[in-house]
Amino acid sequence: MSQVGKFNNLEVVNEVPFGFYLDAGDKGQILLPTKNAPLGCKLGDMVNAFIYHDSDDRLIATIRRPKVFVDHCAYLKVVSITKVGVFLDWGLEKDLLVPFSEQDYPMSEGVSYVVYVFCDEETGRLAASTKLKDFLYEESCDEGGTFEEKQEVELLICGQTDMGYKAIIDGSHLGLIFRDEVFQPIKIGHSMKGFIKRIREDGKIDLCFQFHDPTARNTLEEQIIEDLIAHDGLSTLTDKSSADEISRRFKVSKNVYKKAIGSLFRQKRILLDKTKITLVKK
């Protein structure tokens, strides 16, 4: 059975002056225009083609690869706004519609958004939505799968809140990265690797970009001591410094840095005040 919004391996069953017709089973024969067909295409060939609806709402095929498939998320730019919704550039001739009813907030031309692509049950056409909560799971124990703490995952940054950044986890779940876990510049639309930090009692998922075991923390402590020695025993990089400053110097989150200097203070290797760290001379 062929599927709209995905690549399908289909047989060429008819050739016409403007292209080829592919046997799409229950969906009948679908046109593959000459400009979207592989070179040397002929009757009897099997073609791996993507199926979607053209501007006249007819099913059409192409070997061009879109920026996103059905049931997946992507960061796409708005190219036009019409009376039925906004249209996104997804790499094909016909732009992808986000109906007004699927917009979580007003969308602007020229701006990119993270959207989920779905197949409308009534029309069979592809569309996109910014209402990610309607399509993605928010709890680890949902039927979409279960995660474990410290598990490495793929993240797509999809939003920002007062607490931090929202991210799509492995294309199926939503999670939160708290601000004190951010130690590198990130923006909405960025794809990156991360980790499951914890599963809360309500099933919600907290994320982070790195884990630090005791060995790693000890290494960071020695880096801090070496940095102090290199700067005559003084540093203005305290636990009050910004996460960006800490990240630039030591490539760790502010939370991890605070734990390391706290450990050094308890070991009486440094002195702390609001404006500086001082190395204790032996």
Side-chain angles (χ1 to χ4, degrees):
M1 180 184 295
S2 57
Q3 294 180 284
V4 176
K6 295 184 179 180
F7 275 94
N8 301 262
N9 204 30
L10 307 175
E11 183 181 359
V12 178
V13 293
N14 193 12
E15 183 175 356
V16 291
F18 46 85
F20 307 87
Y21 279 97
L22 308 177
D23 181 7
D26 59 323
K27 292 180 174 56
Q29 294 187 9
I30 297 177
L31 177 65
L32 174 65
T34 302
K35 62 182 178 181
N36 292 329
L39 292 175
C41 188
K42 60 183 183 302
L43 287 175
D45 283 356
M46 299 298 295
V47 177
N48 194 30
F50 184 83
I51 300 175
Y52 69 112
H53 286 82
D54 66 11
S55 299
D56 295 318
D57 285 332
R58 298 172 300 191
L59 284 176
I60 196 166
T62 180
I63 62 169
R64 291 176 61 183
R65 186 179 181 86
K67 297 177 181 178
V68 61
F69 300 146
V70 68
D71 299 327
H72 286 73
C73 296
Y75 186 57
L76 304 176
K77 181 182 287 187
V78 175
V79 292
S80 64
I81 300 176
T82 71
K83 62 181 180 180
V84 295
V86 308
F87 284 89
L88 307 172
D89 173 15
W90 66 319
L92 299 181
E93 291 180 3
K94 183 192 176 185
D95 297 322
L96 182 65
L97 173 67
V98 184
F100 287 118
S101 61
E102 290 295 336
Q103 296 178 32
D104 212 14
Y105 37 77
M107 302 172 72
S108 302
E109 187 171 343
V111 179
S112 297
Y113 301 86
V114 175
V115 297
Y116 182 92
V117 178
F118 66 98
C119 188
D120 186 275
E121 293 183 356
E122 293 184 5
T123 65
R125 293 192 291 269
L126 298 176
S129 175
T130 60
K131 295 183 176 182
L132 303 179
K133 291 183 179 180
D134 291 349
F135 301 92
L136 303 174
Y137 301 105
E138 294 189 87
E139 298 176 9
S140 176
C141 57
D142 282 323
E143 62 186 65
T146 301
F147 294 102
E148 298 179 354
E149 292 184 3
K150 297 190 177 182
Q151 177 180 340
E152 187 176 38
V153 291
E154 292 289 338
L155 302 177
L156 173 61
I157 307 301
C158 62
Q160 192 170 356
T161 71
D162 292 338
M163 293 187 293
Y165 291 86
K166 294 185 288 185
I168 298 168
I169 309 165
D170 285 350
S172 62
H173 288 67
L174 290 167
L176 179 67
I177 308 163
F178 286 94
R179 289 193 181 279
D180 63 2
E181 293 290 347
V182 178
F183 60 93
Q184 62 193 68
I186 61 174
K187 295 180 180 179
I188 294 173
H190 277 191
S191 294
M192 56 191 66
K193 291 188 181 298
F195 297 91
I196 304 297
K197 181 177 181 181
R198 71 172 65 89
I199 308 297
R200 291 184 246 162
E201 290 184 359
D202 61 1
K204 297 293 193 297
I205 306 169
D206 292 341
L207 303 163
C208 64
F209 289 120
Q210 60 183 195
F211 275 99
H212 284 271
D213 57 29
T215 303
R217 188 182 302 168
N218 289 339
T219 301
L220 175 59
E221 291 171 13
E222 294 309 315
Q223 290 175 357
I224 294 171
I225 294 297
E226 290 173 5
D227 183 75
L228 283 165
I229 293 172
H231 293 87
D232 298 323
L234 290 175
S235 173
T236 57
L237 196 69
T238 70
D239 57 355
K240 306 299 182 185
S241 300
S242 71
D244 286 344
E245 290 178 290
I246 293 168
S247 174
R248 283 195 294 270
R249 183 84 64 87
F250 293 105
K251 308 300 182 187
V252 297
S253 69
K254 183 173 181 177
N255 191 43
V256 169
Y257 181 72
K258 287 172 66 175
K259 289 179 180 178
I261 61 175
S263 175
L264 289 171
F265 177 74
R266 290 190 295 273
Q267 296 171 43
K268 299 182 179 180
R269 299 178 69 185
I270 62 172
L271 297 176
L272 293 173
D273 63 39
K274 293 182 180 180
T275 60
K276 65 182 181 301
I277 297 174
T278 305
L279 180 65
V280 174
K281 296 181 180 179
K282 294 183 179 180

